Amino acid sequence: MTERPTPETLDRFARIVGEKNAIRDEAEMGPYLTEWRERYRGRTPMVLKPGSTEEVAAILKLASETRTAVVPQGGNTGLVGGQIPFGEEIVLALSRLNRICEVDLGGNTMTVEAGVTLSSAQAAAESAGRLFPLSLASEGSCQIGGNLATNAGGVQVLAYGNARDLTLGLEVVLASGEVWNGLKALRKDNTGYDLKNLFIGSEGTLGVITAATLKLFPQPKEVATAFAGLATLEDAARLFNLAREAAGPALTLFELMPRIGVEMVVNHMGGRDPLSEPHPWYALIDLSAHQEGIATDMLAQIIGRGVGEGFVADAAMPTSLAQAQTLRHLREAMSEAQKFEGGSIKHDVSVPVAAVPAFIAAASAAVERLIPGARTVPFGHFGDGNIHFNVTQPAGADKAAFLARWEEVSEAVHDIVAEMGGSISAEHGVGRMKREEIARRKSPVEMTLMRQIKAALDPRGILNPGKLL
Ligand code: FAD
């Protein structure tokens, strides 16, 4: 059991980072206690902002000694409440660990501290002539440590994998305050258990990630984009299969959007309808090539075949980067645009790719049975079988009454996911939000193994208690 830190303990924590990096003022702590979805409002006695791995180690050593609970926080863009403290925990904000330590062009790797934002990591790779392909709409704020702790996905998993696949080594401070330096840059290493993979996706419950060695890739010479209007989800599946077959690894993005989502973005967040007529569904597609001229031709052929065979209703292919960014905006703003339409019940689920159309049909029908008039906005990473199955309140309905039905709606949607062999958290993690549900839905063997790992690495339970497990 953890204990609420006494004023003396708080003073000892503050001395580790210096008073100006130990926040106790209510107003100053505000941004660390609210989150993007406004679902959780946190409380904490103190926010600590360490400036080095040694300071993180000293904080965890003291936390372990005094049984103080600690919530690691990166960019605070997490969507399941994992980074929010709920009372006596102190917040460990990693944003000052923001150094790019090394870019190794020979080895195609980059070593960065955990508080580097994803967009800064991408920029560092780009300025060295390389690509770091992890890409999320929150990339301006989220941090590498948070990305690894959540095993973030995003829009290019299709081609490059998720955060786990992009990581070669980690530096982690353990609950005891010991530092594990696993910053290896090896592509092959079979010398026992792969410890880094325990920490990746552990949501701050097993250790604090302080640095990582990441994989870099050649920058594509050409990225061609298309925005296709589609009549049905089966047409989306046909287009995806064709693109995958024709382009192979050059297919780097295949995102699904419903008409209602595009309308929400255009109405509330700027942008315009790229096609002259409305279509029930849209796909945003990128092909990347390492020689000029190949991707655009290949994508034009794929779209041409789709139009010829009748499963693409219409399409736009931008001719400039600015036009491509306008299309990308429609997808990236889709989550935020829903806020303007009242309450939204969110799901981040995955099913086998081929089952996506059947899943969306079944889940939409289940929602309509529960709340007639509720507006489903299923969008996202079609090519990974990962759909953000969001449900916006019926127009004009009472927001609080609608949101009060979150559990009931989620239960119905997640039951369908389970029947299809899917996951109730494809990329956002478990955090506070899905903690009880995974305990019900995972097998007892799996839950016992996870609890045993937690007990072995954090015997006093000081790391992010009440999250994930
Ligand atoms: P935080 O929110 O600060 O923390 C998240 C979790 O990680 C918490 O449990 C926290 O305790 C832990 N943690 C943070 N830093 C560390 C550390 N250094 N060591 C140990 N534990 C740590 N996610 C996707 O996967 N794909 C998407 O496409 C995507 N799109 C998004 C779009 C928007 C608009 C928003 C707001 C969010 C989106 N997310 C997405 C969710 C979120 O951005 C990711 O989960 C991201 O990886 C969180 O990073 P963060 O630095 O903000 O972490």
Side-chain angles (χ1 to χ4, degrees), residues 36 71-79 82-83 94 114 136-138 142-143 145-147 149-150 152-154 203-204 207-209 381 427-428 464:
W36 201 78
V71 179
Q73 192 178 98
N76 190 12
T77 67
L79 298 174
Q83 73 281 19
L94 280 308
L136 329 177
S138 55
C142 64
Q143 300 173 5
N147 296 150
T150 57
E203 302 184 39
V208 176
I209 298 167
H381 319 301
E427 58 176 12
H428 296 161
N464 220 356

Side-chain angles (χ1 to χ4, degrees), residues 5 15 55 67 81 85 90 157 168 174 176-177 209-210 218 225 254 259 267 275 281 296 299-300 309 318 442 464:
R15 281 199 290 278
E55 288 183 5
R67 294 186 181 269
I90 55 169
V157 172
L168 293 171
L174 307 178
S176 59
I209 298 167
T210 44
T225 299
F254 193 105
R259 173 71 200 162
N267 291 343
L275 304 178
W281 299 97
T296 307
L299 190 51
E309 293 182 19
K442 278 186 184 280
N464 220 356

Side-chain angles (χ1 to χ4, degrees), residues 373-438:
R375 294 166 289 169
T376 53
V377 190
F379 69 99
H381 319 301
F382 189 93
D384 308 322
N386 173 196
I387 297 299
H388 299 308
F389 188 83
N390 292 354
V391 184
T392 295
Q393 66 175 64
D398 178 71
K399 181 175 172 181
F402 173 75
L403 290 178
R405 300 188 68 185
W406 190 305
E407 306 305 328
E408 189 191 349
V409 171
S410 284
E411 191 70 14
V413 171
H414 289 169
D415 280 349
I416 295 165
V417 170
E419 276 161 30
M420 294 183 165
S423 165
I424 63 161
S425 186
E427 58 176 12
H428 296 161
V430 174
R432 170 89 164 197
M433 190 171 147
K434 296 179 184 168
R435 190 178 68 133
E436 282 83 15
E437 195 171 352
I438 62 150

Side-chain angles (χ1 to χ4, degrees), residues 141-308:
S141 308
C142 64
Q143 300 173 5
I144 293 298
N147 296 150
L148 295 176
T150 57
N151 187 26
V155 293
Q156 298 202 110
V157 172
L158 190 56
Y160 299 100
N162 47 30
R164 186 188 300 284
D165 301 309
L166 299 172
T167 307
L168 293 171
L170 287 185
E171 179 186 75
V172 179
V173 179
L174 307 178
S176 59
E178 281 169 289
V179 180
W180 173 56
N181 185 339
L183 284 176
K184 289 183 181 171
L186 302 176
R187 311 259 161 181
K188 299 183 93 171
D189 176 15
N190 280 350
T191 53
Y193 304 135
D194 188 343
L195 297 178
K196 72 175 182 302
N197 274 324
L198 270 183
F199 297 103
I200 297 173
S202 69
E203 302 184 39
T205 63
L206 298 181
V208 176
I209 298 167
T210 44
T213 300
L214 305 167
K215 288 184 193 167
L216 298 179
F217 294 80
Q219 265 185 9
K221 294 268 183 310
E222 186 198 6
V223 178
T225 299
F227 184 84
L230 306 157
T232 66
L233 284 165
E234 286 69 26
D235 288 347
R238 285 187 72 184
L239 180 58
F240 172 67
N241 288 332
L242 171 63
R244 199 173 45 176
E245 234 168 73
L251 176 65
T252 45
L253 182 141
F254 193 105
E255 295 287 304
L256 178 77
M257 287 170 276
R259 173 71 200 162
I260 186 174
V262 170
E263 278 172 9
M264 286 178 183
V265 176
V266 171
N267 291 343
H268 302 300
M269 310 251 335
R272 60 177 191 86
D273 218 328
L275 304 178
S276 52
E277 301 287 326
H279 301 278
W281 299 97
Y282 300 95
L284 182 68
I285 309 167
D286 275 358
L287 296 197
S288 305
H290 294 280
Q291 264 176 285
E292 298 277 359
I294 291 182
T296 307
D297 285 355
M298 202 190 295
L299 190 51
Q301 278 174 29
I302 291 166
I303 296 294
R305 197 168 139 196
V307 171

